[in-house]
């Protein structure tokens, strides 16, 4: 299979072919996911919760992400690799340049940042320096204490309009992909239709251009809890490879997420 690039993912959006993504943290699982045909692997700061057992993602460092990015890249031949920029690692444009360089050198093909219009200068600066950027809106885990917990975002009309405006502003600033987390299904659809870049949902309904899950949630082995938007594919299939294949098939057919994994 051909190597997945940003052009590949954009063509999938344009042809309405669903994009599949999972988090990954080591070479062995990266190889397994890659061989089954996963399009995108994200080295998420979720590792603070699923690998380290923390209550949130805030203690994860750039060095942590770089270490796991190098491991994932070692097991990957075709999938597109994205690395999370951890809490406060992109608080200023200059800080973001240094930390993004470390993640790209470790093997990432793109970095992901959480936030809205305040990131415009940082995004533009990274793009000018050859670093593709993925945005992240909705429930942004690095802001969990601002939200007062892991809560669905964009439920009121005003909040939905603000999030939609933020998505458009981030695209204008130069992001080339967007992760949209824990928003009502209809808002996920509106954002996806409004942007020309791929929108990858996690708890954002079935209408986004693709789906991403935390691998530990998909296998039902998370240390903390199973989110409503996730599905335990391992209990259905009894085999890691079959679980990934079933996830890919369900996303391609528009069967995942179902209403039970979505928010209204």
């Amino acid at each position: 299979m051909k190597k997945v690039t940003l052009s590949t993912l954009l063509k999938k959006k344009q042809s309405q072919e669903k994009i599949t993504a999972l988090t990954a943290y080591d070479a062995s699982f990266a190889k397994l996911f890659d061989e089954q045909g996963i399009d995108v692997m994200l080295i998420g700061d979720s590792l603070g919760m699923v690998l380290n057992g923390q209550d949130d993602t805030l203690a994860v460092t750039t060095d942590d992400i770089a270490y796991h990015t190098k491991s994932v890249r070692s097991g990957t031949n075709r999938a597109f690799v994205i690395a999370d920029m951890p809490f406060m690692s992109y608080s200023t444009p200059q800080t973001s340049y240094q930390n993004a360089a470390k993640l790209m050198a470790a093997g990432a093909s793109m970095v992901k940042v959480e936030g809205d219009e305040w990131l415009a200068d940082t995004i533009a600066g990274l793009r000018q320096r050859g670093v593709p950027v993925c945005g992240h809106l909705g429930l942004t885990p690095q802001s969990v204490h601002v939200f007062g917990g892991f809560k669905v975002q964009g439920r009121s009309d005003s909040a939905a309009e603000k999030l939609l405006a933020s998505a458009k502003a981030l695209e204008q600033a130069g992001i080339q992909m967007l992760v949209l987390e824990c928003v009502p299904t209809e808002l996920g659809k509106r954002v996806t239709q409004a942007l020309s870049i791929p929108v990858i949902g996690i708890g954002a309904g079935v209408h986004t251009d693709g789906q991403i899950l935390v691998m530990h949630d998909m296998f039902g082995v998370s240390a903390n809890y199973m989110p409503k938007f996730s599905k335990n594919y391992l209990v259905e299939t009894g085999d890691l490879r079959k679980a990934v294949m079933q996830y890919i098939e369900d996303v391609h057919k528009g069967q995942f997420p179902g209403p039970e994994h979505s928010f209204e």
Side-chain angles (χ1 to χ4, degrees), residues 48-184:
M49 301 176 74
V50 297
L51 298 187
N52 300 332
Q54 300 297 315
D55 292 331
D56 54 43
T57 66
L58 304 187
V60 176
T61 67
T62 302
D63 286 341
D64 292 334
I65 298 290
Y67 172 85
H68 288 280
T69 299
K70 185 176 181 180
S71 298
V72 168
R73 174 56 71 187
S74 295
T76 304
N77 288 318
R78 60 168 295 280
F80 190 73
V81 176
I82 305 174
D84 258 343
M85 295 196 70
F87 180 62
M88 295 299 287
S89 68
Y90 50 98
S91 55
T92 67
Q94 193 61 43
T95 301
S96 77
Y97 305 154
Q98 296 168 353
N99 288 315
K102 186 178 293 186
L103 298 181
M104 296 294 282
S109 296
M110 174 180 257
V111 299
K112 181 169 76 64
V113 296
E114 299 181 9
D116 50 27
E117 292 92 333
W118 67 269
L119 282 167
D121 289 344
T122 294
I123 293 165
L126 286 168
R127 284 287 304 275
Q128 289 167 358
R129 288 159 177 78
V131 180
V133 183
C134 176
H136 187 154
L137 290 172
L139 172 58
T140 46
Q142 293 174 18
S143 301
V144 62
H145 296 303
V146 176
F147 296 146
F150 294 94
K151 298 179 179 180
V152 180
Q153 302 298 304
R155 275 189 154 150
S156 70
D157 290 344
S158 60
E161 292 302 325
K162 183 178 185 302
L163 191 148
L164 181 58
S166 294
K168 293 177 180 178
L170 288 179
E171 181 175 26
Q172 183 66 30
I175 64 167
Q176 292 174 278
M177 192 182 306
L178 177 69
V179 170
L180 190 58
E181 182 170 355
C182 281
V183 302

Side-chain angles (χ1 to χ4, degrees), residues 198-218:
V199 177
I200 311 299
I202 178 166
V206 72
H207 302 295
T208 53
D209 298 308
Q211 301 293 330
I212 185 167
L213 286 177
V214 173
M215 58 166 279
H216 293 71
D217 293 343
M218 193 195 73

Side-chain angles (χ1 to χ4, degrees), residues 179-194:
V179 170
L180 190 58
E181 182 170 355
C182 281
V183 302
T185 297
E186 184 59 29
L187 179 56
K189 182 178 182 180
R190 290 180 64 195
V191 172
T192 302
Q193 292 177 341

